[in-house]
Amino acid sequence: MVSEGGKIGYREMALDPTQVLLRGAILRNTDWIYAVAVFTGHETKLMRNASAAPIKRTSVEKTTNRQIIFLFAILLLLAVLSALGSQILTSRNRDQLSYLMLPEGEGAKTFVKNILTFIILYNNLIPISLIVTMEVVKFQQAQLINADMDMYDETSDTAALARTSSLVEELGQVEYIFSDKTGTLTCNIMEFRQCSIDGAMYSDVVEASKRARVVDGAVVGQYDFTQLREHMRGSERAAQLCEFFQLLATCHTVIPEQRGSELQDIEYQAASPDEGALVKGATLVDYIFHTRRPRSITVSVMGVDKEFEVLNINEFNSTRKRMSAVLRCPDGTIKLYCKGADTVIIERLDETRGASVQVTLRHLEEYATEGLRTLCLAMRDISEEEYRTWSAMHAKASTTLTNRQQELDRVAELIERDLVLLGATAIEDKLQDGVPQTIYTLAQAGIKIW
């Protein structure tokens, strides 16, 4: 968007899909906005694609319909043949059928009437009662599904609900099941369980056999989160720990919603459950993110509010496999916080400052073995001069009209380098109850699962 004067002045501003509200969008945490209606009318792509939902018919219904059409064709054929036979018989024996008082010269009219008469006589050929019986049976089977206690969820007090009676006849015809993991096999409820910071492992629950202890002069095992808070108040890695949780509380696009009067009564609206879990994880050590403004965020750090100016956000996408935020801290320094997959973070680290990289990689392997979802966290300090140069390149890339996303990714690469590894996180997404047994039972039924 180009402004030519006025309060804004002469400048170009970047617009991207994040500034577009699609039809049906709901504004939250926003009192008012300035907006322009674009892409309206019935000729737009959205409206042209808004076709009526197709009618879904089951295999049994399709087979039944074909058979009824076939029977109706036989009915018509029998009616025509019977009417033709009646016409021939009447014309040959008209002298003997005077008591019927047949009209003269209306052979065609009589032929059509006879066809209709024979259709009525032969109508039992069409099994109307079969269709009614099938619908009644399907309805009763749907009620059995709704009343099945094996499919009742006590946690949410929710029973099974068959939204269509046609469901039951399709279940027995399933041969393949294509399923993802998150939200289908798992509960899609992410919980911050463990983290690795400066070569030390921390966990919310530590088994007695895995507790941290000194072996041959080196610390082996895990600390719990209570010890983590103690280390943050006074230990050799306190600065690293504070930087780690400051990253969790600031490097994200989460929107907080205050649910009560207490500072902890906050519900986080996140683009992904993982991001929300990381922000909640920071609250465990009193790094509470509670306010987001267009250009800043406020975090309560152990009871003290600190405001961070959000200079730039390099969004996560499937190609980059990471996201980063350029922030101006309360002390005036500019920092780049970056989080993402270990493969993309490790290759962008400053090789001269990677003392704990190998230890962190071993911890990541342990987390993966336990089925936890992992992320690597890194940061670097940025000088004012470097940021001014990079910011001009970012502004130019954000306003380009061709290959904008590729240009933004290229510019982000220029600043996401020489990072210092802070640590790694491990998030748990539990399997739903009975998943292994369900998969085994489906396999026993001959259903193939991908």
Side-chain angles (χ1 to χ4, degrees), residues 209-388:
S209 60
K210 294 184 178 180
R211 288 192 176 277
R213 59 190 184 278
V214 179
V215 178
D216 297 332
V219 178
V220 178
Q222 301 175 355
Y223 298 102
D224 59 28
F225 283 171
T226 302
Q227 294 171 302
L228 170 60
R229 296 188 190 94
E230 296 174 356
H231 291 175
M232 292 183 71
R233 292 183 176 90
S235 73
E236 58 183 11
R237 62 169 65 93
Q240 189 96 344
L241 293 170
C242 293
E243 205 75 63
F244 181 92
F245 286 100
Q246 188 166 285
L247 186 154
L248 291 183
T250 57
C251 181
H252 54 75
T253 57
V254 174
I255 297 175
E257 288 187 3
Q258 196 73 36
R259 294 297 186 184
S261 58
E262 297 294 329
L263 184 60
Q264 289 80 7
D265 297 335
I266 298 176
E267 182 175 337
Y268 295 112
Q269 302 294 334
S272 69
D274 302 70
E275 197 167 47
L278 293 177
V279 178
K280 289 179 183 177
T283 64
L284 299 176
V285 291
D286 294 329
Y287 275 70
I288 303 173
F289 162 64
H290 60 81
T291 304
R292 176 178 290 279
R293 298 184 181 89
R295 300 298 300 171
S296 68
I297 58 178
T298 304
V299 179
S300 174
V301 180
M302 298 182 180
V304 179
D305 281 355
K306 293 186 178 182
E307 185 172 356
F308 297 81
E309 182 184 355
V310 181
L311 301 176
N312 298 95
I313 295 288
N314 297 314
E315 297 281 356
F316 175 90
N317 59 47
S318 57
T319 304
R320 285 167 39 78
K321 297 181 181 178
R322 64 191 182 279
M323 77 159 291
S324 61
V326 183
L327 306 173
R328 188 182 298 277
C329 299
D331 59 3
T333 60
I334 299 177
K335 294 184 178 181
L336 170 77
Y337 288 141
C338 186
K339 64 182 181 183
D342 54 350
T343 53
V344 296
I345 297 296
I346 298 299
E347 64 186 17
R348 288 168 174 79
L349 296 179
D350 184 353
E351 296 181 358
T352 62
R353 303 172 64 185
S356 61
V357 173
Q358 295 303 320
V359 179
T360 303
L361 288 176
R362 288 199 299 272
H363 294 169
L364 286 170
E365 290 180 3
E366 292 183 30
Y367 296 152
T369 303
E370 296 177 19
L372 302 176
R373 302 161 68 95
T374 60
L375 281 177
C376 278
L377 279 60
M379 57 84 64
R380 68 178 284 240
D381 293 314
I382 302 174
S383 64
E384 290 283 351
E385 182 180 354
E386 180 184 2
Y387 175 71
R388 280 196 299 270

Side-chain angles (χ1 to χ4, degrees), residues 2-42:
V2 180
S3 173
E4 298 181 350
K7 293 183 179 180
I8 299 178
Y10 294 87
R11 58 181 295 190
E12 292 184 357
M13 290 169 286
L15 294 178
D16 56 54
T18 60
Q19 275 97 34
V20 178
L21 293 177
L22 299 179
R23 187 180 68 168
I26 299 175
L27 286 178
R28 302 178 67 178
N29 305 305
T30 304
D31 295 327
W32 53 268
I33 62 171
Y34 286 115
V36 177
V38 295
F39 302 120
T40 62
H42 290 278

Side-chain angles (χ1 to χ4, degrees), residues 56-348:
K56 296 182 179 180
R57 293 187 175 91
T58 64
S59 300
V60 174
E61 287 178 336
K62 292 177 181 178
T63 303
T64 304
N65 290 342
R66 284 196 297 268
Q67 292 175 344
I68 289 177
I69 292 173
F70 178 70
L71 290 174
F72 184 71
I74 294 177
L75 173 62
L76 287 179
L77 179 62
L78 289 175
V80 170
L81 292 177
S82 298
L84 184 61
S86 174
Q87 194 77 2
I88 295 173
L89 182 64
T90 302
S91 61
R92 288 182 177 179
N93 303 293
R94 178 173 291 273
D95 296 339
Q96 302 175 16
L97 302 174
S98 57
Y99 57 90
L100 294 178
M101 302 177 64
L102 298 174
E104 295 289 342
E106 294 185 1
K109 186 177 181 180
T110 304
F111 179 73
V112 173
K113 288 182 178 180
N114 287 339
I115 291 178
L116 297 176
T117 301
F118 284 113
I119 288 177
I120 295 173
L121 290 174
Y122 298 153
N123 72 86
N124 289 333
L125 194 61
I126 305 295
I128 302 298
S129 59
L130 172 64
I131 300 175
V132 178
T133 303
M134 288 175 54
E135 290 298 326
V136 171
V137 170
K138 289 192 291 185
F139 176 78
Q140 292 298 329
Q141 288 177 329
Q143 296 306 308
L144 289 175
I145 291 177
N146 293 341
D148 192 345
M149 295 304 296
D150 289 336
M151 291 190 281
Y152 172 75
D153 181 31
E154 295 183 0
T155 306
S156 60
D157 190 25
T158 305
L161 176 61
R163 297 183 181 276
T164 170
S165 60
S166 300
L167 174 69
V168 290
E169 63 194 61
E170 289 289 280
L171 290 177
Q173 302 173 36
V174 174
E175 186 176 357
Y176 294 93
I177 293 178
F178 296 89
S179 172
D180 63 349
K181 179 183 176 183
T182 303
T184 305
L185 301 181
T186 64
C187 300
N188 203 25
I189 301 175
M190 310 295 178
E191 295 184 359
F192 186 81
R193 290 299 187 191
Q194 301 184 47
C195 59
S196 170
I197 308 172
D198 194 25
M201 296 178 71
Y202 298 91
S203 177
D204 60 340
V205 178
V206 182
E207 298 177 6
S209 60
K210 294 184 178 180
R211 288 192 176 277
R213 59 190 184 278
V214 179
V215 178
D216 297 332
V219 178
V220 178
Q222 301 175 355
Y223 298 102
D224 59 28
F225 283 171
T226 302
Q227 294 171 302
L228 170 60
R229 296 188 190 94
E230 296 174 356
H231 291 175
M232 292 183 71
R233 292 183 176 90
S235 73
E236 58 183 11
R237 62 169 65 93
Q240 189 96 344
L241 293 170
C242 293
E243 205 75 63
F244 181 92
F245 286 100
Q246 188 166 285
L247 186 154
L248 291 183
T250 57
C251 181
H252 54 75
T253 57
V254 174
I255 297 175
E257 288 187 3
Q258 196 73 36
R259 294 297 186 184
S261 58
E262 297 294 329
L263 184 60
Q264 289 80 7
D265 297 335
I266 298 176
E267 182 175 337
Y268 295 112
Q269 302 294 334
S272 69
D274 302 70
E275 197 167 47
L278 293 177
V279 178
K280 289 179 183 177
T283 64
L284 299 176
V285 291
D286 294 329
Y287 275 70
I288 303 173
F289 162 64
H290 60 81
T291 304
R292 176 178 290 279
R293 298 184 181 89
R295 300 298 300 171
S296 68
I297 58 178
T298 304
V299 179
S300 174
V301 180
M302 298 182 180
V304 179
D305 281 355
K306 293 186 178 182
E307 185 172 356
F308 297 81
E309 182 184 355
V310 181
L311 301 176
N312 298 95
I313 295 288
N314 297 314
E315 297 281 356
F316 175 90
N317 59 47
S318 57
T319 304
R320 285 167 39 78
K321 297 181 181 178
R322 64 191 182 279
M323 77 159 291
S324 61
V326 183
L327 306 173
R328 188 182 298 277
C329 299
D331 59 3
T333 60
I334 299 177
K335 294 184 178 181
L336 170 77
Y337 288 141
C338 186
K339 64 182 181 183
D342 54 350
T343 53
V344 296
I345 297 296
I346 298 299
E347 64 186 17
R348 288 168 174 79

